[in-house]
Amino acid sequence: MNWSRRWINPVLDKEFRLRMRTPRSMVSVMLYIFALGFVAMGFIYITMYVNNGGNQRFNSGMSQTMFYVLGFAQLLMIAFMAPALTAGVISSEREKQTLSMLLTTQQSSATIIFSKLFSSLSFMALIVVATMPVYSIVFLYGGISPQQLVYMFLFYLFIMILLGSLGVMFSTLFKRTMISVIVTYGTGIFIFLITGLLYLFFSSMWQQQYGGITVSGYSWVGYILGLNPAGAMLSIFDPSFSRNIFHVYGSSMQADAPIQLWLEFVIVYSVVIIVSLFISIRKIRPVRRRKRSTSPEVTTEEITMERVDSDFHDK
């Protein structure tokens, strides 16, 4: 048996063929690489010619800073593209009235959801991996270890799974793709922006209350920044960042942080991913399976009316 038929189910095969056979996919990858390369070249030009007049050579310190800039630029592009790729995977099938045919196949609900998610994220992962030659500029001047690069790409993969799971869940819950996309972007704004603003707000309040006072232990406001992707990624770049965030300029610096920000981020949002996929699998089929019961409250007519009502709303 061909290995592709064994490991790739019909839903996944159909998604791969539809997504990769159009010129738009190739153009998307090319534009993404050009955008990140433009950021790298722009940073080199600004640091060497605008700020120093071309009198300073590009050193390892500048290379490290450029690595951070590229990392955050790519994080923002993933936050912008991942919801667009996943927020309409189920609702678009419903709008085209092909979801009913998809549900009548032998594929289970879990297979459909995971296939849709995997096909969408594989294209995003292809784009991210295609940007690795841009990062080779950093290794020409040093300042970054290959281990940091691997950790950063693994973090990108986790972010893609998080945003993809949320997009698939909202696409399953809402019948219109536009509403699903708006809600998914709103949730992404909360994760990327609101958590950071909440940290700044409560951090300033904490400093007003305990500023100049030696406080033992750590500050609870650090847990808020652990929910922010930028804070978690900074803790990957610099392990001492978590300690500074939890102690917020006051307490003993010899104590360690209660938890690394990236670890808190992975733990909390792993639960979110599992719950989102569970809801998607449960809600993709409009007619819920009822347990066989001898109770007279559930009759055949009620089940038939429920199916007719669900079909009517799908249309």
Side-chain angles (χ1 to χ4, degrees):
M1 179 182 292
N2 191 356
W3 67 270
S4 61
R5 293 183 179 179
R6 176 177 298 179
W7 296 104
I8 300 178
N9 60 63
V11 178
L12 197 57
D13 183 61
K14 174 241 183 185
E15 291 294 325
F16 278 146
R17 292 179 187 275
L18 290 179
R19 190 175 297 276
M20 298 305 299
R21 71 180 181 182
T22 59
R24 188 176 61 180
S25 301
M26 183 187 66
V27 174
S28 300
V29 175
M30 184 176 63
L31 292 178
Y32 191 93
I33 297 174
F34 278 162
L36 199 64
F38 179 78
V39 172
M41 294 297 106
F43 177 83
I44 294 175
Y45 178 78
I46 291 174
T47 53
M48 293 186 64
Y49 295 99
V50 176
N51 295 336
N52 300 307
N55 298 321
Q56 185 175 358
R57 300 183 62 181
F58 199 78
N59 53 37
S60 59
M62 295 179 180
S63 174
Q64 188 179 37
T65 306
M66 189 178 78
F67 179 76
Y68 294 164
V69 171
L70 289 177
F72 283 106
Q74 181 134 284
L75 185 65
L76 290 177
M77 286 193 279
I78 290 174
F80 179 76
M81 292 188 64
L85 292 172
T86 57
V89 291
I90 302 298
S91 57
S92 62
E93 296 278 358
R94 188 181 290 113
E95 289 176 347
K96 292 185 290 187
Q97 299 184 356
T98 55
L99 182 61
S100 300
M101 290 187 289
L102 183 63
L103 295 177
T104 55
T105 62
Q106 295 180 348
Q107 305 299 320
S108 63
S109 301
T111 301
I112 295 172
I113 291 296
F114 283 115
S115 299
K116 291 283 188 181
L117 177 63
F118 183 76
S119 62
S120 302
L121 296 185
S122 60
F123 178 69
M124 191 69 221
L126 172 65
I127 293 178
V128 173
V129 172
T131 61
M132 291 192 73
V134 179
Y135 288 91
S136 63
I137 302 174
V138 176
F139 289 101
L140 289 176
Y141 298 94
I144 295 296
S145 65
Q147 186 179 13
Q148 287 180 297
L149 182 66
V150 172
Y151 286 161
M152 189 177 70
F153 273 80
L154 290 176
F155 185 74
Y156 287 155
L157 180 62
F158 184 80
I159 291 291
M160 286 187 285
I161 295 175
L162 170 63
L163 296 176
S165 302
L166 291 172
V168 172
M169 181 185 70
F170 291 130
S171 179
T172 306
L173 294 177
F174 296 104
K175 299 182 184 303
R176 300 299 179 189
T177 301
M178 183 60 67
I179 299 176
S180 173
V181 171
I182 292 173
V183 175
T184 305
Y185 273 110
T187 307
I189 290 174
F190 178 83
I191 295 174
F192 277 80
L193 182 61
I194 303 300
T195 53
L197 295 177
L198 286 176
Y199 168 76
L200 294 177
F201 175 74
F202 287 107
S203 178
S204 62
M205 291 182 60
W206 190 90
Q207 290 185 48
Q208 290 179 359
Q209 186 174 2
Y210 297 104
I213 303 175
T214 302
V215 180
S216 60
Y218 55 86
S219 170
W220 58 270
V221 296
Y223 288 109
I224 301 176
L225 196 63
L227 302 177
N228 186 274
M233 196 164 74
L234 276 175
S235 69
I236 295 176
F237 294 154
D238 183 7
S240 63
F241 179 74
S242 300
R243 187 180 60 187
N244 296 331
I245 291 300
F246 274 99
H247 292 275
V248 195
Y249 312 121
S251 59
S252 173
M253 298 302 293
Q254 295 179 353
D256 199 2
I259 187 172
Q260 290 289 325
L261 295 182
W262 66 266
L263 183 58
E264 178 193 345
F265 185 87
V266 170
I267 292 175
V268 171
Y269 287 110
S270 292
V271 177
V272 175
I273 292 172
I274 294 173
V275 172
S276 300
L277 293 177
F278 178 77
I279 294 174
S280 302
I281 293 171
R282 293 283 298 176
K283 296 294 184 180
I284 188 173
R285 294 187 185 274
V287 180
R288 292 177 298 178
R289 293 181 178 177
R290 292 175 178 269
K291 294 182 179 180
R292 291 184 177 179
S293 172
T294 57
S295 174
E297 297 178 355
V298 181
T299 63
T300 304
E301 293 182 356
E302 288 177 345
I303 296 175
T304 304
M305 290 300 296
E306 183 178 339
R307 287 178 177 172
V308 171
D309 183 66
S310 299
D311 293 339
F312 174 77
H313 285 294
D314 286 342
K315 294 177 182 178

